[in-house]
Amino acid sequence: MKKIEYLRISVTDRCNFRCRYCMPEGNKEFIPHPEILRYEEIIEIIKAFTDFGVKSVRLTGGEPLVRKGIEDLISMISEIPGIEEISLTTNGFFLSEKVNRLKKAGLKRVNVSLDTLNPEKFTYLTRTNRSAFFRVLQGIEKAKEAGLYPVKVNTVLIKGFNDSEVEHFVKFSEEMEVEVRFIELMPVGGKFFSEEHFIPISEVKAIIEKSFGKLIPKKVKKMGPAKSFSVTGTGAVIGFIPSISEHFCSECNRVRLTSDGKLRLCLMSDREIDLKAILRSRSYTFEELKNEIGKALIAKLGIDGIEALEKLGCQRKMFTIGG
Ligand code: SAM
Ligand code: SF4
């Protein structure tokens, strides 16, 4: 039977980028600060999860590196018995200046989101500027230098925008010695998504195999949605996350905590358990928190597919969930 070993925590819904598929340009709908979990509350929740076998924590956002004192949180998490790995998903903008402190605090791995290798397209998609693109590249270099190996690059596939760059990303993977992970665009809470922008992973695999040769599956250590491949004749390592075209519910080993303390059992469903309400109730006990988490995890294991959850729908925007 599968185990839930992986907890993704969104530490903030704020972000210094405004990626078109994730956050509206003039977004003003942020979670009020008092509703955001304090670090001690996040730690309490992680401790409860370790009793159910959670070993791995990923910090995400919004942009996790805009939250003040994030290295303090990492160092607090690294002291929790049972936690074996702390990782981070970031847009990379603040990475070069923070990576050494993050590593020292206990960060093990980092995923940097980068959807195009063209600075002008990057500026358009993220609504930032050219210098942001070069800062992200520098962040990737610095993360490697700091020994956060392997650095992974997350690339959301967008038809008519970056499908012409698939081969370029394969070369980028080889030259930069990073794993590039192609992710299908998800219809999560934004207007950007439309069928016209969607590219299935199968199309991208076909482009790579036509240009380079066979994709050879790499042995995987853990359960999870990403499948990694080496590309014949190159040193590239490419991962695929077919979130839409191939449902991987039976392999899903993760749950998500939003920055306002809601536990989500499935990215695509708005079914949430309000852990913050439990933590902040006058009669709070650690036992009660554990009980609620235990019940939620049993419910998650009983879920037999995304279809069941999809009926509940997902109205939350991606930057409030954390991807
Ligand atoms: N700000 C950080 C970043 O961009 O890496 C962390 C948060 S972001 C919400 C986490 C991941 O979700 C990123 O890799 C981003 O590209 C991805 N993402 C956001 N909206 C998406 C969408 N509609 N479909 C697929 N992936 C999406
Ligand atoms: Fe910010 Fe990440 Fe969303 Fe882009 S994808 S707007 S960087 S949270």
Side-chain angles (χ1 to χ4, degrees), residues 8 15 17 19 21-22 59-64 89-92 111-115 154-156 183-188 193 243 318-323:
R8 284 180 78 100
C15 186
F17 286 14
C19 303
Y21 52 68
C22 179
L59 303 179
T60 172
E63 173 48 41
T89 299
T90 172
N91 62 30
N111 286 26
V112 181
S113 301
L114 181 62
D115 303 321
N154 287 358
T155 304
V156 176
I183 301 171
E184 285 177 349
L185 180 65
M186 286 182 271
V188 179
F193 180 86
S243 338
M318 197 61 136
F319 63 93
T320 74
I321 306 172

PDB file of all heavy atoms in Angstrom, residues 8 15 17 19 21-22 59-64 89-92 111-115 154-156 183-188 193 243 318-323, ligand 1:
ATOM      1  N   ARG A   8       3.891  19.183   1.002  1.00  0.00           N
ATOM      2  CA  ARG A   8       4.263  20.447   0.346  1.00  0.00           C
ATOM      3  C   ARG A   8       3.643  21.577   1.134  1.00  0.00           C
ATOM      4  O   ARG A   8       2.426  21.559   1.385  1.00  0.00           O
ATOM      5  CB  ARG A   8       3.681  20.506  -1.071  1.00  0.00           C
ATOM      6  CG  ARG A   8       4.384  19.665  -2.082  1.00  0.00           C
ATOM      7  CD  ARG A   8       3.704  19.823  -3.431  1.00  0.00           C
ATOM      8  NE  ARG A   8       4.075  21.061  -4.086  1.00  0.00           N
ATOM      9  CZ  ARG A   8       4.989  21.147  -5.041  1.00  0.00           C
ATOM     10  NH1 ARG A   8       5.625  20.078  -5.458  1.00  0.00           N
ATOM     11  NH2 ARG A   8       5.267  22.300  -5.595  1.00  0.00           N
ATOM     12  N   CYS A  15       4.169  37.036  -4.068  1.00  0.00           N
ATOM     13  CA  CYS A  15       5.204  36.693  -5.050  1.00  0.00           C
ATOM     14  C   CYS A  15       5.698  37.959  -5.736  1.00  0.00           C
ATOM     15  O   CYS A  15       4.926  38.897  -5.940  1.00  0.00           O
ATOM     16  CB  CYS A  15       4.644  35.723  -6.094  1.00  0.00           C
ATOM     17  SG  CYS A  15       5.946  35.135  -7.215  1.00  0.00           S
ATOM     18  N   PHE A  17       6.853  37.815  -8.819  1.00  0.00           N
ATOM     19  CA  PHE A  17       6.524  37.633 -10.232  1.00  0.00           C
ATOM     20  C   PHE A  17       4.994  37.625 -10.373  1.00  0.00           C
ATOM     21  O   PHE A  17       4.274  37.520  -9.368  1.00  0.00           O
ATOM     22  CB  PHE A  17       7.043  36.288 -10.760  1.00  0.00           C
ATOM     23  CG  PHE A  17       8.539  36.209 -10.988  1.00  0.00           C
ATOM     24  CD1 PHE A  17       9.417  37.154 -10.492  1.00  0.00           C
ATOM     25  CD2 PHE A  17       9.063  35.137 -11.718  1.00  0.00           C
ATOM     26  CE1 PHE A  17      10.793  37.049 -10.706  1.00  0.00           C
ATOM     27  CE2 PHE A  17      10.442  35.026 -11.936  1.00  0.00           C
ATOM     28  CZ  PHE A  17      11.301  35.976 -11.431  1.00  0.00           C
ATOM     29  N   CYS A  19       3.345  35.437 -13.008  1.00  0.00           N
ATOM     30  CA  CYS A  19       3.279  34.545 -14.178  1.00  0.00           C
ATOM     31  C   CYS A  19       1.837  34.454 -14.684  1.00  0.00           C
ATOM     32  O   CYS A  19       0.908  34.292 -13.888  1.00  0.00           O
ATOM     33  CB  CYS A  19       3.817  33.169 -13.827  1.00  0.00           C
ATOM     34  SG  CYS A  19       5.498  33.240 -13.213  1.00  0.00           S
ATOM     35  N   TYR A  21       0.028  32.299 -16.114  1.00  0.00           N
ATOM     36  CA  TYR A  21      -0.822  31.125 -15.864  1.00  0.00           C
ATOM     37  C   TYR A  21      -1.089  30.926 -14.382  1.00  0.00           C
ATOM     38  O   TYR A  21      -1.746  29.971 -13.987  1.00  0.00           O
ATOM     39  CB  TYR A  21      -0.186  29.854 -16.454  1.00  0.00           C
ATOM     40  CG  TYR A  21       1.243  29.621 -16.021  1.00  0.00           C
ATOM     41  CD1 TYR A  21       1.548  29.295 -14.710  1.00  0.00           C
ATOM     42  CD2 TYR A  21       2.285  29.759 -16.931  1.00  0.00           C
ATOM     43  CE1 TYR A  21       2.854  29.102 -14.307  1.00  0.00           C
ATOM     44  CE2 TYR A  21       3.598  29.571 -16.539  1.00  0.00           C
ATOM     45  CZ  TYR A  21       3.873  29.239 -15.212  1.00  0.00           C
ATOM     46  OH  TYR A  21       5.158  29.057 -14.800  1.00  0.00           O
ATOM     47  N   CYS A  22      -0.543  31.818 -13.548  1.00  0.00           N
ATOM     48  CA  CYS A  22      -0.626  31.577 -12.115  1.00  0.00           C
ATOM     49  C   CYS A  22      -1.290  32.715 -11.351  1.00  0.00           C
ATOM     50  O   CYS A  22      -2.159  32.474 -10.511  1.00  0.00           O
ATOM     51  CB  CYS A  22       0.787  31.339 -11.567  1.00  0.00           C
ATOM     52  SG  CYS A  22       0.873  31.053  -9.802  1.00  0.00           S
ATOM     53  N   LEU A  59       9.079  23.311   0.534  1.00  0.00           N
ATOM     54  CA  LEU A  59       8.544  24.651   0.749  1.00  0.00           C
ATOM     55  C   LEU A  59       8.287  25.312  -0.593  1.00  0.00           C
ATOM     56  O   LEU A  59       9.119  25.261  -1.492  1.00  0.00           O
ATOM     57  CB  LEU A  59       9.530  25.499   1.574  1.00  0.00           C
ATOM     58  CG  LEU A  59       9.906  24.904   2.928  1.00  0.00           C
ATOM     59  CD1 LEU A  59      10.903  25.798   3.651  1.00  0.00           C
ATOM     60  CD2 LEU A  59       8.675  24.667   3.801  1.00  0.00           C
ATOM     61  N   THR A  60       7.104  25.921  -0.702  1.00  0.00           N
ATOM     62  CA  THR A  60       6.733  26.548  -1.955  1.00  0.00           C
ATOM     63  C   THR A  60       5.934  27.805  -1.620  1.00  0.00           C
ATOM     64  O   THR A  60       5.999  28.310  -0.504  1.00  0.00           O
ATOM     65  CB  THR A  60       5.993  25.509  -2.852  1.00  0.00           C
ATOM     66  OG1 THR A  60       5.462  26.175  -3.988  1.00  0.00           O
ATOM     67  CG2 THR A  60       4.883  24.765  -2.167  1.00  0.00           C
ATOM     68  N   GLY A  61       5.210  28.347  -2.600  1.00  0.00           N
ATOM     69  CA  GLY A  61       4.474  29.587  -2.328  1.00  0.00           C
ATOM     70  C   GLY A  61       3.325  29.717  -3.310  1.00  0.00           C
ATOM     71  O   GLY A  61       2.860  28.695  -3.851  1.00  0.00           O
ATOM     72  N   GLY A  62       2.994  30.909  -3.642  1.00  0.00           N
ATOM     73  CA  GLY A  62       3.726  32.155  -3.799  1.00  0.00           C
ATOM     74  C   GLY A  62       5.219  31.897  -3.950  1.00  0.00           C
ATOM     75  O   GLY A  62       5.615  30.827  -4.350  1.00  0.00           O
ATOM     76  N   GLU A  63       5.973  32.888  -3.663  1.00  0.00           N
ATOM     77  CA  GLU A  63       7.418  32.719  -3.754  1.00  0.00           C
ATOM     78  C   GLU A  63       7.986  32.558  -2.340  1.00  0.00           C
ATOM     79  O   GLU A  63       7.988  33.506  -1.554  1.00  0.00           O
ATOM     80  CB  GLU A  63       8.045  33.925  -4.483  1.00  0.00           C
ATOM     81  CG  GLU A  63       9.549  33.939  -4.497  1.00  0.00           C
ATOM     82  CD  GLU A  63      10.185  32.600  -4.908  1.00  0.00           C
ATOM     83  OE1 GLU A  63       9.702  31.943  -5.838  1.00  0.00           O
ATOM     84  OE2 GLU A  63      11.180  32.213  -4.241  1.00  0.00           O
ATOM     85  N   PRO A  64       8.466  31.354  -2.010  1.00  0.00           N
ATOM     86  CA  PRO A  64       8.901  31.111  -0.629  1.00  0.00           C
ATOM     87  C   PRO A  64      10.052  32.016  -0.195  1.00  0.00           C
ATOM     88  O   PRO A  64      10.159  32.329   0.990  1.00  0.00           O
ATOM     89  CB  PRO A  64       9.342  29.642  -0.644  1.00  0.00           C
ATOM     90  CG  PRO A  64       9.530  29.287  -2.077  1.00  0.00           C
ATOM     91  CD  PRO A  64       8.613  30.164  -2.859  1.00  0.00           C
ATOM     92  N   THR A  89      10.768  24.910  -3.887  1.00  0.00           N
ATOM     93  CA  THR A  89      10.451  25.278  -5.268  1.00  0.00           C
ATOM     94  C   THR A  89      10.401  26.799  -5.328  1.00  0.00           C
ATOM     95  O   THR A  89       9.679  27.424  -4.560  1.00  0.00           O
ATOM     96  CB  THR A  89       9.096  24.694  -5.720  1.00  0.00           C
ATOM     97  OG1 THR A  89       9.169  23.274  -5.648  1.00  0.00           O
ATOM     98  CG2 THR A  89       8.770  25.073  -7.154  1.00  0.00           C
ATOM     99  N   THR A  90      11.178  27.374  -6.218  1.00  0.00           N
ATOM    100  CA  THR A  90      11.327  28.835  -6.248  1.00  0.00           C
ATOM    101  C   THR A  90      11.362  29.353  -7.674  1.00  0.00           C
ATOM    102  O   THR A  90      11.715  28.615  -8.594  1.00  0.00           O
ATOM    103  CB  THR A  90      12.632  29.244  -5.519  1.00  0.00           C
ATOM    104  OG1 THR A  90      12.862  30.644  -5.724  1.00  0.00           O
ATOM    105  CG2 THR A  90      13.850  28.480  -6.017  1.00  0.00           C
ATOM    106  N   ASN A  91      11.023  30.640  -7.839  1.00  0.00           N
ATOM    107  CA  ASN A  91      11.195  31.243  -9.168  1.00  0.00           C
ATOM    108  C   ASN A  91      12.655  31.610  -9.410  1.00  0.00           C
ATOM    109  O   ASN A  91      13.013  32.065 -10.493  1.00  0.00           O
ATOM    110  CB  ASN A  91      10.267  32.444  -9.368  1.00  0.00           C
ATOM    111  CG  ASN A  91      10.532  33.593  -8.393  1.00  0.00           C
ATOM    112  OD1 ASN A  91      11.652  33.813  -7.932  1.00  0.00           O
ATOM    113  ND2 ASN A  91       9.482  34.340  -8.083  1.00  0.00           N
ATOM    114  N   GLY A  92      13.507  31.476  -8.410  1.00  0.00           N
ATOM    115  CA  GLY A  92      14.948  31.624  -8.592  1.00  0.00           C
ATOM    116  C   GLY A  92      15.486  33.031  -8.453  1.00  0.00           C
ATOM    117  O   GLY A  92      16.703  33.236  -8.410  1.00  0.00           O
ATOM    118  N   ASN A 111      14.173  23.191  -6.720  1.00  0.00           N
ATOM    119  CA  ASN A 111      13.611  23.200  -8.072  1.00  0.00           C
ATOM    120  C   ASN A 111      13.406  24.666  -8.459  1.00  0.00           C
ATOM    121  O   ASN A 111      12.803  25.420  -7.693  1.00  0.00           O
ATOM    122  CB  ASN A 111      12.235  22.527  -8.117  1.00  0.00           C
ATOM    123  CG  ASN A 111      12.320  21.024  -8.013  1.00  0.00           C
ATOM    124  OD1 ASN A 111      13.282  20.495  -7.445  1.00  0.00           O
ATOM    125  ND2 ASN A 111      11.324  20.335  -8.523  1.00  0.00           N
ATOM    126  N   VAL A 112      13.909  25.022  -9.631  1.00  0.00           N
ATOM    127  CA  VAL A 112      13.762  26.410 -10.078  1.00  0.00           C
ATOM    128  C   VAL A 112      12.816  26.422 -11.280  1.00  0.00           C
ATOM    129  O   VAL A 112      12.998  25.647 -12.218  1.00  0.00           O
ATOM    130  CB  VAL A 112      15.139  26.994 -10.479  1.00  0.00           C
ATOM    131  CG1 VAL A 112      14.981  28.450 -10.918  1.00  0.00           C
ATOM    132  CG2 VAL A 112      16.123  26.887  -9.313  1.00  0.00           C
ATOM    133  N   SER A 113      11.826  27.296 -11.235  1.00  0.00           N
ATOM    134  CA  SER A 113      10.866  27.347 -12.339  1.00  0.00           C
ATOM    135  C   SER A 113      11.395  28.250 -13.442  1.00  0.00           C
ATOM    136  O   SER A 113      11.796  29.383 -13.175  1.00  0.00           O
ATOM    137  CB  SER A 113       9.519  27.871 -11.832  1.00  0.00           C
ATOM    138  OG  SER A 113       9.061  27.014 -10.830  1.00  0.00           O
ATOM    139  N   LEU A 114      11.411  27.724 -14.656  1.00  0.00           N
ATOM    140  CA  LEU A 114      11.893  28.510 -15.804  1.00  0.00           C
ATOM    141  C   LEU A 114      11.194  27.948 -17.046  1.00  0.00           C
ATOM    142  O   LEU A 114      11.445  26.820 -17.445  1.00  0.00           O
ATOM    143  CB  LEU A 114      13.428  28.356 -15.919  1.00  0.00           C
ATOM    144  CG  LEU A 114      14.102  29.142 -17.052  1.00  0.00           C
ATOM    145  CD1 LEU A 114      13.919  30.641 -16.887  1.00  0.00           C
ATOM    146  CD2 LEU A 114      15.594  28.813 -17.112  1.00  0.00           C
ATOM    147  N   ASP A 115      10.321  28.760 -17.643  1.00  0.00           N
ATOM    148  CA  ASP A 115       9.464  28.235 -18.707  1.00  0.00           C
ATOM    149  C   ASP A 115       9.960  28.556 -20.108  1.00  0.00           C
ATOM    150  O   ASP A 115       9.395  28.069 -21.094  1.00  0.00           O
ATOM    151  CB  ASP A 115       8.042  28.791 -18.549  1.00  0.00           C
ATOM    152  CG  ASP A 115       7.466  28.453 -17.186  1.00  0.00           C
ATOM    153  OD1 ASP A 115       7.700  27.331 -16.717  1.00  0.00           O
ATOM    154  OD2 ASP A 115       6.811  29.323 -16.577  1.00  0.00           O
ATOM    155  N   ASN A 154      11.830  23.414 -13.455  1.00  0.00           N
ATOM    156  CA  ASN A 154      10.432  23.122 -13.779  1.00  0.00           C
ATOM    157  C   ASN A 154       9.990  23.973 -14.964  1.00  0.00           C
ATOM    158  O   ASN A 154      10.075  25.203 -14.899  1.00  0.00           O
ATOM    159  CB  ASN A 154       9.510  23.506 -12.608  1.00  0.00           C
ATOM    160  CG  ASN A 154       9.608  22.554 -11.440  1.00  0.00           C
ATOM    161  OD1 ASN A 154      10.345  21.572 -11.490  1.00  0.00           O
ATOM    162  ND2 ASN A 154       8.860  22.835 -10.398  1.00  0.00           N
ATOM    163  N   THR A 155       9.507  23.333 -15.992  1.00  0.00           N
ATOM    164  CA  THR A 155       9.078  24.062 -17.187  1.00  0.00           C
ATOM    165  C   THR A 155       7.633  23.699 -17.527  1.00  0.00           C
ATOM    166  O   THR A 155       7.346  22.553 -17.882  1.00  0.00           O
ATOM    167  CB  THR A 155      10.011  23.708 -18.384  1.00  0.00           C
ATOM    168  OG1 THR A 155      11.352  24.007 -17.991  1.00  0.00           O
ATOM    169  CG2 THR A 155       9.650  24.477 -19.628  1.00  0.00           C
ATOM    170  N   VAL A 156       6.757  24.671 -17.399  1.00  0.00           N
ATOM    171  CA  VAL A 156       5.348  24.436 -17.745  1.00  0.00           C
ATOM    172  C   VAL A 156       5.215  24.585 -19.255  1.00  0.00           C
ATOM    173  O   VAL A 156       5.689  25.568 -19.838  1.00  0.00           O
ATOM    174  CB  VAL A 156       4.429  25.453 -17.018  1.00  0.00           C
ATOM    175  CG1 VAL A 156       2.974  25.271 -17.453  1.00  0.00           C
ATOM    176  CG2 VAL A 156       4.547  25.312 -15.502  1.00  0.00           C
ATOM    177  N   ILE A 183       6.129  20.088 -17.350  1.00  0.00           N
ATOM    178  CA  ILE A 183       4.879  19.954 -16.591  1.00  0.00           C
ATOM    179  C   ILE A 183       3.716  20.396 -17.491  1.00  0.00           C
ATOM    180  O   ILE A 183       3.827  21.434 -18.162  1.00  0.00           O
ATOM    181  CB  ILE A 183       4.921  20.887 -15.349  1.00  0.00           C
ATOM    182  CG1 ILE A 183       6.114  20.525 -14.471  1.00  0.00           C
ATOM    183  CG2 ILE A 183       3.627  20.845 -14.552  1.00  0.00           C
ATOM    184  CD1 ILE A 183       6.367  21.514 -13.334  1.00  0.00           C
ATOM    185  N   GLU A 184       2.658  19.619 -17.492  1.00  0.00           N
ATOM    186  CA  GLU A 184       1.495  20.042 -18.284  1.00  0.00           C
ATOM    187  C   GLU A 184       0.790  21.213 -17.593  1.00  0.00           C
ATOM    188  O   GLU A 184       0.647  21.233 -16.370  1.00  0.00           O
ATOM    189  CB  GLU A 184       0.513  18.872 -18.429  1.00  0.00           C
ATOM    190  CG  GLU A 184       1.012  17.846 -19.433  1.00  0.00           C
ATOM    191  CD  GLU A 184       0.117  16.622 -19.573  1.00  0.00           C
ATOM    192  OE1 GLU A 184      -0.813  16.448 -18.745  1.00  0.00           O
ATOM    193  OE2 GLU A 184       0.357  15.828 -20.484  1.00  0.00           O
ATOM    194  N   LEU A 185       0.367  22.151 -18.430  1.00  0.00           N
ATOM    195  CA  LEU A 185      -0.368  23.323 -17.936  1.00  0.00           C
ATOM    196  C   LEU A 185      -1.692  22.868 -17.317  1.00  0.00           C
ATOM    197  O   LEU A 185      -2.425  22.096 -17.919  1.00  0.00           O
ATOM    198  CB  LEU A 185      -0.629  24.266 -19.119  1.00  0.00           C
ATOM    199  CG  LEU A 185      -1.388  25.549 -18.853  1.00  0.00           C
ATOM    200  CD1 LEU A 185      -0.598  26.488 -17.933  1.00  0.00           C
ATOM    201  CD2 LEU A 185      -1.692  26.262 -20.166  1.00  0.00           C
ATOM    202  N   MET A 186      -1.957  23.352 -16.105  1.00  0.00           N
ATOM    203  CA  MET A 186      -3.174  22.907 -15.415  1.00  0.00           C
ATOM    204  C   MET A 186      -4.217  24.021 -15.359  1.00  0.00           C
ATOM    205  O   MET A 186      -3.862  25.185 -15.195  1.00  0.00           O
ATOM    206  CB  MET A 186      -2.818  22.472 -13.996  1.00  0.00           C
ATOM    207  CG  MET A 186      -2.101  21.155 -13.965  1.00  0.00           C
ATOM    208  SD  MET A 186      -1.752  20.681 -12.274  1.00  0.00           S
ATOM    209  CE  MET A 186      -0.187  21.446 -12.049  1.00  0.00           C
ATOM    210  N   PRO A 187      -5.475  23.633 -15.447  1.00  0.00           N
ATOM    211  CA  PRO A 187      -6.543  24.637 -15.426  1.00  0.00           C
ATOM    212  C   PRO A 187      -6.867  25.033 -13.991  1.00  0.00           C
ATOM    213  O   PRO A 187      -7.957  24.800 -13.497  1.00  0.00           O
ATOM    214  CB  PRO A 187      -7.719  23.890 -16.072  1.00  0.00           C
ATOM    215  CG  PRO A 187      -7.478  22.466 -15.730  1.00  0.00           C
ATOM    216  CD  PRO A 187      -6.001  22.279 -15.620  1.00  0.00           C
ATOM    217  N   VAL A 188      -5.886  25.619 -13.315  1.00  0.00           N
ATOM    218  CA  VAL A 188      -6.107  25.891 -11.893  1.00  0.00           C
ATOM    219  C   VAL A 188      -6.389  27.367 -11.668  1.00  0.00           C
ATOM    220  O   VAL A 188      -5.487  28.204 -11.739  1.00  0.00           O
ATOM    221  CB  VAL A 188      -4.880  25.449 -11.057  1.00  0.00           C
ATOM    222  CG1 VAL A 188      -5.084  25.734  -9.582  1.00  0.00           C
ATOM    223  CG2 VAL A 188      -4.656  23.964 -11.246  1.00  0.00           C
ATOM    224  N   PHE A 193      -5.524  29.677 -18.643  1.00  0.00           N
ATOM    225  CA  PHE A 193      -5.634  28.328 -19.193  1.00  0.00           C
ATOM    226  C   PHE A 193      -6.694  28.285 -20.270  1.00  0.00           C
ATOM    227  O   PHE A 193      -7.800  28.760 -20.095  1.00  0.00           O
ATOM    228  CB  PHE A 193      -5.993  27.313 -18.108  1.00  0.00           C
ATOM    229  CG  PHE A 193      -6.115  25.924 -18.677  1.00  0.00           C
ATOM    230  CD1 PHE A 193      -4.997  25.130 -18.812  1.00  0.00           C
ATOM    231  CD2 PHE A 193      -7.337  25.438 -19.126  1.00  0.00           C
ATOM    232  CE1 PHE A 193      -5.085  23.862 -19.380  1.00  0.00           C
ATOM    233  CE2 PHE A 193      -7.445  24.182 -19.688  1.00  0.00           C
ATOM    234  CZ  PHE A 193      -6.312  23.385 -19.800  1.00  0.00           C
ATOM    235  N   SER A 243       0.333  15.823 -15.490  1.00  0.00           N
ATOM    236  CA  SER A 243      -0.723  16.026 -14.489  1.00  0.00           C
ATOM    237  C   SER A 243      -2.131  15.858 -15.045  1.00  0.00           C
ATOM    238  O   SER A 243      -3.047  15.465 -14.335  1.00  0.00           O
ATOM    239  CB  SER A 243      -0.642  17.436 -13.912  1.00  0.00           C
ATOM    240  OG  SER A 243       0.626  17.979 -14.065  1.00  0.00           O
ATOM    241  N   MET A 318      -3.346  29.014  -8.184  1.00  0.00           N
ATOM    242  CA  MET A 318      -2.139  28.220  -7.940  1.00  0.00           C
ATOM    243  C   MET A 318      -1.212  28.848  -6.904  1.00  0.00           C
ATOM    244  O   MET A 318      -0.605  28.156  -6.107  1.00  0.00           O
ATOM    245  CB  MET A 318      -1.399  28.060  -9.268  1.00  0.00           C
ATOM    246  CG  MET A 318      -0.397  26.962  -9.261  1.00  0.00           C
ATOM    247  SD  MET A 318      -1.178  25.388  -8.944  1.00  0.00           S
ATOM    248  CE  MET A 318      -0.378  24.372 -10.143  1.00  0.00           C
ATOM    249  N   PHE A 319      -1.107  30.177  -6.905  1.00  0.00           N
ATOM    250  CA  PHE A 319      -0.150  30.795  -5.984  1.00  0.00           C
ATOM    251  C   PHE A 319      -0.594  30.678  -4.529  1.00  0.00           C
ATOM    252  O   PHE A 319       0.177  30.950  -3.623  1.00  0.00           O
ATOM    253  CB  PHE A 319       0.113  32.270  -6.355  1.00  0.00           C
ATOM    254  CG  PHE A 319      -1.101  33.169  -6.255  1.00  0.00           C
ATOM    255  CD1 PHE A 319      -1.363  33.863  -5.094  1.00  0.00           C
ATOM    256  CD2 PHE A 319      -1.955  33.304  -7.325  1.00  0.00           C
ATOM    257  CE1 PHE A 319      -2.471  34.692  -5.005  1.00  0.00           C
ATOM    258  CE2 PHE A 319      -3.064  34.131  -7.244  1.00  0.00           C
ATOM    259  CZ  PHE A 319      -3.330  34.835  -6.087  1.00  0.00           C
ATOM    260  N   THR A 320      -1.854  30.297  -4.294  1.00  0.00           N
ATOM    261  CA  THR A 320      -2.284  30.084  -2.911  1.00  0.00           C
ATOM    262  C   THR A 320      -2.134  28.627  -2.503  1.00  0.00           C
ATOM    263  O   THR A 320      -2.284  28.276  -1.347  1.00  0.00           O
ATOM    264  CB  THR A 320      -3.741  30.527  -2.664  1.00  0.00           C
ATOM    265  OG1 THR A 320      -4.627  29.571  -3.251  1.00  0.00           O
ATOM    266  CG2 THR A 320      -4.019  31.909  -3.206  1.00  0.00           C
ATOM    267  N   ILE A 321      -1.838  27.760  -3.474  1.00  0.00           N
ATOM    268  CA  ILE A 321      -1.677  26.332  -3.171  1.00  0.00           C
ATOM    269  C   ILE A 321      -0.204  25.947  -3.162  1.00  0.00           C
ATOM    270  O   ILE A 321       0.262  25.208  -2.298  1.00  0.00           O
ATOM    271  CB  ILE A 321      -2.409  25.436  -4.215  1.00  0.00           C
ATOM    272  CG1 ILE A 321      -3.868  25.835  -4.357  1.00  0.00           C
ATOM    273  CG2 ILE A 321      -2.303  23.957  -3.797  1.00  0.00           C
ATOM    274  CD1 ILE A 321      -4.583  25.111  -5.505  1.00  0.00           C
ATOM    275  N   GLY A 322       0.520  26.439  -4.166  1.00  0.00           N
ATOM    276  CA  GLY A 322       1.972  26.161  -4.189  1.00  0.00           C
ATOM    277  C   GLY A 322       2.407  25.171  -5.237  1.00  0.00           C
ATOM    278  O   GLY A 322       3.552  24.719  -5.219  1.00  0.00           O
ATOM    279  N   GLY A 323       1.497  24.779  -6.137  1.00  0.00           N
ATOM    280  CA  GLY A 323       1.881  23.864  -7.221  1.00  0.00           C
ATOM    281  C   GLY A 323       1.986  22.433  -6.769  1.00  0.00           C
ATOM    282  O   GLY A 323       1.736  22.103  -5.621  1.00  0.00           O
TER     283      GLY A 323
HETATM  284  N1  SAM B   1       6.997  30.726  -6.949  1.00  0.00           N
HETATM  285  C1  SAM B   1       7.562  29.456  -6.975  1.00  0.00           C
HETATM  286  C2  SAM B   1       7.823  28.993  -8.383  1.00  0.00           C
HETATM  287  O1  SAM B   1       7.309  29.601  -9.327  1.00  0.00           O
HETATM  288  O2  SAM B   1       8.550  28.003  -8.520  1.00  0.00           O
HETATM  289  C3  SAM B   1       6.758  28.398  -6.218  1.00  0.00           C
HETATM  290  C4  SAM B   1       5.279  28.431  -6.364  1.00  0.00           C
HETATM  291  S1  SAM B   1       4.653  28.027  -7.979  1.00  0.00           S
HETATM  292  C5  SAM B   1       2.909  28.090  -7.701  1.00  0.00           C
HETATM  293  C6  SAM B   1       5.021  26.276  -8.030  1.00  0.00           C
HETATM  294  C7  SAM B   1       5.016  25.657  -9.403  1.00  0.00           C
HETATM  295  O3  SAM B   1       3.695  25.676  -9.909  1.00  0.00           O
HETATM  296  C8  SAM B   1       5.883  26.384 -10.431  1.00  0.00           C
HETATM  297  O4  SAM B   1       6.780  25.469 -11.029  1.00  0.00           O
HETATM  298  C9  SAM B   1       4.890  26.885 -11.450  1.00  0.00           C
HETATM  299  O5  SAM B   1       5.421  26.924 -12.755  1.00  0.00           O
HETATM  300  C10 SAM B   1       3.766  25.877 -11.307  1.00  0.00           C
HETATM  301  N2  SAM B   1       2.486  26.371 -11.797  1.00  0.00           N
HETATM  302  C11 SAM B   1       1.842  27.511 -11.478  1.00  0.00           C
HETATM  303  N3  SAM B   1       0.671  27.618 -12.157  1.00  0.00           N
HETATM  304  C12 SAM B   1       0.580  26.485 -12.931  1.00  0.00           C
HETATM  305  C13 SAM B   1      -0.386  25.985 -13.851  1.00  0.00           C
HETATM  306  N4  SAM B   1      -1.513  26.660 -14.126  1.00  0.00           N
HETATM  307  N5  SAM B   1      -0.149  24.796 -14.432  1.00  0.00           N
HETATM  308  C14 SAM B   1       0.975  24.081 -14.171  1.00  0.00           C
HETATM  309  N6  SAM B   1       1.922  24.497 -13.304  1.00  0.00           N
HETATM  310  C15 SAM B   1       1.732  25.689 -12.694  1.00  0.00           C
END
